[in-house]
Each structure stands twice: as structure tokens, then as C-alpha cells.
Amino acid sequence: MRENERVTDYIRSLEPEGDPLLEEIERKAAESLVPIIRKETGALLKTLVAGVRPRAILEIGTAVGYSALLMASVMEEGCHITTIEKYEKRIPAARENFQRAGRLNQITLLEGDAGEWLKKLPEGGFDFIFMDGAKGQYIHWLSDVLKLLAPGGMLVSDNVLQDGDIIQSRFAVERRNRTIHSRMREYLFVLKHTQGLETAVVPVGDGVTISVKQR
């Protein structure tokens, strides 16, 4: 076993037992091959939300609602989550999970294309944004996302290291993944070189970026 895998296993072993509903959602997602955030990424996400104490959260990529419920478990009273999902087959499961958790009044699920919704939401209306949708679209969504992010707000993006593929030459990556590879590299470069945006790339899970929009 590689050393980083041993470290990851150890980090995961430290996690206390979670909410039974979240554990059930996580187990069913694994069985159904539905992509959700990794356990160590979830711990980081919860910690960031608890620290930032946002009043309004935007999530791009709901899947079955796992990460939205993780964030809801530590958000301040009065905070609201807006989450966007395009894949129709996952939307009913997400709504059911929000209902079972008693979070329907705290989480709004928007159905449809994120690129279209991002142009309709209020500028500066969110002080925490979690990007976890189609990886090849991150760079295309970024301009609108930054408009929606309030000054001092935080943008967290998941899966930015692409299981290590991001450090490979474009030609070492499977042909079907080359477009995502090049777009993600561009996304990371832009995050690190955008004036007024302070970004760290963190090798947790499948790679996370944490960006703060300076006031």
C-alpha cells in the first residue's frame, strides 16, 4: 500500500460515528456508484463551514444531497443552502434525503443546468460556495461564481487533482479524460493568478482548493 493511502486510512479511522442518516446515504451511494465527497473531504468541508459561519451557501452539484446535509449539520441557525443538480435521476433521492433529515426549509434544490442558474442568482448573494459539479465545467462557471460570491466569501472546489492525473502530461492521460485534464489545469492556474482571490490547493481526498475573495 502506498504511504499516502496509509495516511488517508489513518485519517479516516479517526472519524467518529456520524449521523445514522448520513451514514446510510454514504453506504447507498457507494453501492450505487454515485459519486459523493470522500470522508476526509467531508470533514474539511464541515470544519470550513463551521469556521466561516456563512449566512448563505451555494452548492453546485447536489447528487443525492450528502454534502449539503453535511454542511447543514454545522451551519449557523438562519443559514440557508441553495444547491443545483442537473441529473434528473438523482433529484428525487436528494429531495427525499432532505425531507428525512427535516431540512426542506433550510435547503432549496434547483433543478437544471448550473450554467443557466448561475446567471439568475443574486450577485454577491453567497458567502460560501461549494463547487462539486461537472469537473470540465469549473473553468466555464468560475466567472459567474465569483460574481455570486460576496466579498470575504469562500469558494471550495472538490476533485481538482483528478486522482493524481493533474500532474501527468496531457498525453499520459486517457484520451477521454484529456479535455477535463486541460480544463482543470486551467482552472487551477486561474484560481492562483486571479487578483483579489487568495487560493490554497490542499491534497485532501481528491484534491480541494480553498479560495477567499478579498474584500
Side-chain angles (χ1 to χ4, degrees):
M1 180 182 290
R2 293 181 302 175
E3 195 68 23
N4 61 340
E5 292 176 337
R6 293 179 62 195
V7 171
T8 297
D9 287 343
Y10 174 67
I11 291 172
R12 290 179 178 177
S13 75
L14 295 174
E15 287 295 314
E17 283 192 26
D19 176 85
L21 175 58
L22 286 171
E23 295 286 341
E24 178 187 331
I25 294 171
E26 183 180 22
R27 184 177 65 255
K28 287 183 177 179
E31 292 170 354
S32 305
L33 301 180
V34 174
I36 61 173
I37 59 174
R38 302 181 187 186
K39 190 172 288 290
E40 62 275 22
T41 308
L44 175 62
L45 183 63
K46 286 174 64 179
T47 302
L48 292 173
V49 170
V52 172
R53 301 170 66 183
R55 70 187 189 285
I57 298 173
L58 174 63
E59 176 186 52
I60 304 168
T62 315
V64 291
Y66 179 75
S67 52
L69 289 174
L70 273 182
M71 291 188 286
S73 70
V74 293
M75 69 186 187
E76 293 279 291
E77 185 176 352
C79 179
H80 191 86
I81 297 175
T82 301
T83 182
I84 305 172
E85 179 58 49
K86 181 179 181 179
Y87 191 38
E88 294 180 358
K89 291 184 178 180
R90 292 178 185 155
I91 291 172
R95 290 197 186 282
E96 180 182 353
N97 289 332
F98 295 156
Q99 181 175 21
R100 293 178 65 195
R103 299 284 187 179
L104 287 177
N105 292 331
Q106 298 166 303
I107 302 176
T108 298
L109 175 55
L110 303 178
E111 302 180 28
D113 184 77
E116 296 177 5
W117 276 113
L118 292 176
K119 297 183 184 303
K120 299 176 184 178
L121 295 171
E123 289 193 15
F126 302 92
D127 40 9
F128 192 99
I129 298 178
F130 180 47
M131 183 98 82
D132 194 27
K135 313 313 168 193
Q137 298 302 316
Y138 282 17
I139 187 63
H140 298 313
W141 293 335
L142 183 58
S143 177
D144 288 326
V145 163
L146 292 180
K147 291 177 183 177
L148 300 179
L149 188 62
M154 180 177 288
L155 166 63
V156 178
S157 308
D158 196 17
N159 304 115
V160 298
L161 297 183
Q162 297 288 287
D163 282 320
D165 280 355
I166 201 71
I167 65 173
Q168 302 294 330
S169 161
R170 178 177 181 274
F171 299 102
V173 177
E174 290 186 31
R175 184 180 296 273
R176 62 189 175 90
N177 293 329
R178 287 179 184 173
T179 298
I180 293 176
H181 177 269
S182 61
R183 289 181 181 177
M184 187 59 76
R185 279 194 164 203
E186 181 183 1
Y187 181 72
L188 292 174
F189 183 88
V190 172
L191 285 182
K192 291 294 292 185
H193 292 83
T194 295
Q195 187 173 5
L197 199 65
E198 194 63 39
T199 297
V201 182
V202 185
V204 170
D206 193 21
V208 175
T209 54
I210 302 172
S211 306
V212 175
K213 184 176 181 180
Q214 296 175 309
R215 296 181 185 275

